[in-house]
């Protein structure tokens, strides 16, 4: 995520806020924070399930640990699939509220399919949204 | 608005990409839906010894319909007949007859199990179809419940030809006990080399297969793929508003779909109104 520029002056974003950009007012900030929380919770759940699923797939198709079993993957994969559905929904919701460019949105959504990368994405998303919210607070109530 | 965006070169490219993604998701969903059918499960099961699923008395369980079995017994060449009104398994469209020879088993009881071992055209007289030599036979096939007597079968048949294949008919032809099932032999293996002797076409496959419940996992995967397809559609909608400037000068218009979104920023320089992260220069 090379777009991550935490040292940027948040007020440089205020030029587009009147254009329907993110976080001009307390109400929208509150909703953005709520969307972020929902995304973070499901991102962690999906991330953990994906790690377990990775182990399960290895157990199913290789002789790692000396035996094969499909119990782990058969148990986890349907649950993980539904988790990823929720991840997509919350991710899109957050992306729209935050006003990400499409490539950022796609990156965040697809990061949920790569083991460990979802944790990286979650950290980046949290910092990004918090920066915007604090920018809105600094700009004062609209 | 959307149509005008699609009409641009870039919009068409984004749309084509999104359509491919949606189609892929739907195809995967369909694949999982097909996989959820119990058909595959029963037919893919490892063969079990016939006596495990064939009761000494009584009917085959519905869940065992079409289950692969191994059958070990003795050919009874003197207990052979043809069964009328069967399609050519090779798909020629011709109607012919199944060749059925009994195998005597001792488990689960001393009885005969009819084995469908091939197909012949209607022109062949039952006496002209050679039977496998008496003796031990070991074959694999699919177990089927007896066909019921019904009024669709033409009950008037030449000698040596049965209108249907089932114990209800066979008990009148053979003095021995007859199982209330039959086995459709699979392609002849090493020990089953006599299975197809005298037949004309491919081996018939299983006819009736257990209609159990669908595999709920695959059903759920199918549902998930449909939802993923919908998500791809939403992302396409966002991408169209983000990447494709309207031919007329309007570019990206604020946060797409967000509250306070404005579509009418004509006159604004499109590129400069984007709040891309990269434009937050340090």
């Amino acid at each position: 995520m090379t777009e991550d520029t935490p040292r940027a002056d948040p007020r440089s974003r205020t030029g587009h806020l009147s254009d329907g950009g993110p976080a001009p007012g307390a109400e929208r900030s509150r909703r953005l924070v709520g969307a972020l929380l929902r995304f973070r919770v499901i991102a962690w759940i999906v991330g953990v399930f994906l790690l377990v699923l990775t182990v399960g797939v290895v157990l199913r198709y290789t002789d790692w640990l000396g035996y094969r079993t499909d119990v782990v993957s058969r148990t986890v994969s349907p649950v993980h699939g539904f988790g990823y559905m929720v991840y997509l929904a919350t991710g899109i919701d957050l992306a729209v509220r935050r006003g990400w460019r499409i490539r950022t949105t796609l990156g965040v959504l697809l990061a949920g399919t790569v083991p460990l990368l979802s944790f990286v994405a979650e950290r980046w998303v949290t910092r990004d949204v918090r920066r915007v919210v604090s920018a809105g607070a600094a700009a004062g109530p609209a | 608005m959307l149509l005008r965006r699609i009409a641009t070169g870039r919009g068409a490219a984004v749309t084509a990409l999104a359509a491919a993604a949606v189609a892929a998701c739907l195809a995967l969903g369909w694949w999982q839906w097909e996989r959820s059918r119990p058909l595959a499960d029963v037919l893919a099961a490892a063969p079990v010894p016939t006596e495990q699923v064939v009761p000494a008395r009584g009917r085959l369980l519905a869940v065992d319909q079409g289950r692969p079995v191994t059958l070990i017994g003795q050919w009874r060449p003197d207990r052979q007949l043809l069964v009328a009104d069967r399609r050519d398994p090779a798909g020629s469209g011709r109607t012919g007859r199944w060749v059925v020879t009994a195998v005597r088993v001792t488990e689960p009881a001393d009885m005969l199990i009819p084995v469908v071992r091939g197909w012949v055209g209607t022109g062949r007289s039952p006496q002209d179809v050679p039977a496998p030599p008496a003796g031990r036979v070991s074959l694999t096939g699919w177990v089927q419940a007896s066909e019921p007597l019904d009024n669709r079968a033409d009950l008037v048949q030449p000698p040596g030809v049965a209108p249907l294949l089932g114990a209800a008919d066979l008990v009148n032809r053979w003095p021995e006990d007859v199982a209330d099932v039959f086995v459709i032999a699979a392609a002849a293996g090493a020990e089953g080399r006599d299975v197809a002797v005298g037949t004309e076409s491919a081996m018939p496959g299983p006819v009736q297969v257990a209609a159990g419940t669908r595999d709920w996992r695959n059903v759920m995967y199918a549902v998930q793929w449909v939802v993923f397809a919908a998500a791809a559609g939403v992302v396409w909608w966002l991408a169209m508003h983000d990447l494709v400037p309207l031919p007329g000068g309007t570019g990206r218009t604020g946060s797409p779909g967000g509250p306070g979104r404005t579509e009418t920023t004509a006159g604004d320089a499109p590129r400069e109104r984007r709040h891309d992260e990269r434009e937050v220069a340090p």
Side-chain angles (χ1 to χ4, degrees):
Chain A
M1 298 279 177
T2 53
E3 297 99 319
D4 185 14
T5 52
R7 285 166 293 121
D9 178 8
R11 271 158 299 193
S12 68
R13 306 188 132 269
T14 54
H16 63 255
L17 290 183
S18 59
D19 186 33
E27 178 63 16
R28 284 193 60 192
S29 285
R30 204 177 56 75
R31 287 167 186 266
L32 191 55
V33 169
L36 175 65
L37 181 64
R38 291 193 293 275
F39 174 81
R40 292 185 68 192
V41 169
I42 193 63
W44 268 91
I45 293 174
V46 166
V48 171
F49 269 123
L50 189 53
L51 288 184
V52 179
L53 182 59
T54 307
V55 173
V57 168
V58 171
L59 278 175
R60 179 174 181 167
Y61 291 106
T62 74
D63 289 325
W64 188 53
L65 296 186
Y67 62 93
R68 295 188 184 205
T69 174
D70 66 351
V71 170
V72 179
S73 64
R74 279 174 67 85
T75 308
V76 175
S77 48
V79 184
H80 173 262
F82 274 104
Y84 188 64
M85 273 169 45
V86 180
Y87 180 92
L88 287 179
T90 57
I92 290 173
D93 173 58
L94 182 62
V96 169
R97 290 180 192 279
R98 167 61 184 81
W100 278 324
R101 298 298 310 277
I102 191 66
R103 107 190 62 190
T104 310
T105 307
L106 259 183
V108 169
L109 296 183
L110 293 180
T113 64
V114 183
L116 294 177
L117 197 57
S118 60
F119 296 109
V120 178
E122 185 272 328
R123 278 179 61 89
W124 181 88
V125 165
T126 304
R127 270 189 293 170
D128 175 80
V129 172
R130 281 186 177 158
R131 195 178 63 219
V132 172
V133 168
S134 63
Chain B
M1 282 305 213
L2 209 47
L3 278 178
R4 284 174 65 202
R5 289 185 204 268
I6 294 171
T8 64
R10 201 173 188 185
V14 170
T15 303
L17 212 61
V22 169
C25 288
L26 291 179
L28 286 163
W30 180 250
W31 171 62
Q32 287 291 348
W33 176 249
E34 286 293 298
R35 269 175 64 97
S36 73
R37 293 158 67 128
L39 182 82
D41 291 348
V42 174
L43 293 181
V48 296
T50 311
E51 61 267 24
Q52 278 188 16
V53 291
V54 175
R57 282 184 208 83
R59 295 187 60 82
L60 186 72
L61 292 180
V63 290
D64 289 325
Q65 184 78 277
R67 186 171 295 282
V69 290
T70 55
L71 175 60
I72 298 173
Q74 307 280 328
W75 279 127
R76 287 290 301 267
D78 53 333
R79 297 285 179 260
Q80 174 167 301
L81 47 73
L82 305 182
V83 179
D85 201 18
R86 305 290 148 153
R87 284 281 175 80
D88 180 2
S92 72
R94 286 194 299 153
T95 298
R97 293 162 179 165
W98 276 353
V99 180
V100 175
T101 307
V103 168
R104 181 189 167 197
V105 296
T106 52
E107 293 291 335
D110 190 342
M111 59 184 182
L112 302 183
I113 294 181
V115 173
V116 178
R117 58 181 194 82
W119 180 93
V120 292
T122 317
R124 289 276 287 277
S125 110
Q127 292 74 32
D128 289 348
V129 180
R136 183 176 138 62
V137 60
S138 168
L139 58 87
T140 59
W142 297 277
V143 66
Q144 309 270 279
S146 282
E147 291 175 354
L149 284 167
D150 64 27
N151 53 14
R152 279 174 301 174
D154 183 359
L155 296 178
V156 181
Q157 296 289 343
V161 179
L164 51 85
L165 180 51
D169 175 83
L170 292 174
V171 289
N172 299 312
R173 299 171 186 269
W174 297 342
E176 295 87 358
D177 284 343
V178 181
D180 201 11
V181 302
F182 61 93
V183 170
I184 299 178
E191 274 199 276
R193 59 191 178 281
D194 298 325
V195 166
V197 62
T199 61
E200 293 175 12
S201 183
M203 304 296 284
V207 177
Q208 301 275 339
V209 178
T213 54
R214 285 178 178 271
D215 188 325
W216 60 273
R217 280 187 187 81
N218 297 108
V219 173
M220 279 168 49
Y221 296 149
V223 170
Q224 288 163 13
W225 277 116
V226 172
V227 173
F228 296 158
V234 173
V235 170
W236 164 78
W237 193 85
L238 294 176
M240 290 301 282
H241 287 79
D242 182 26
L243 295 179
V244 186
L246 270 182
T250 317
R252 185 171 183 261
T253 57
S255 69
R261 148 173 165 260
T262 51
E263 281 280 359
T264 53
T265 52
D268 291 331
R271 298 272 164 185
E272 284 162 18
R273 299 195 66 86
R274 293 179 166 173
H275 43 270
D276 189 348
E277 288 79 3
R278 289 171 306 122
E279 291 168 19
V280 185

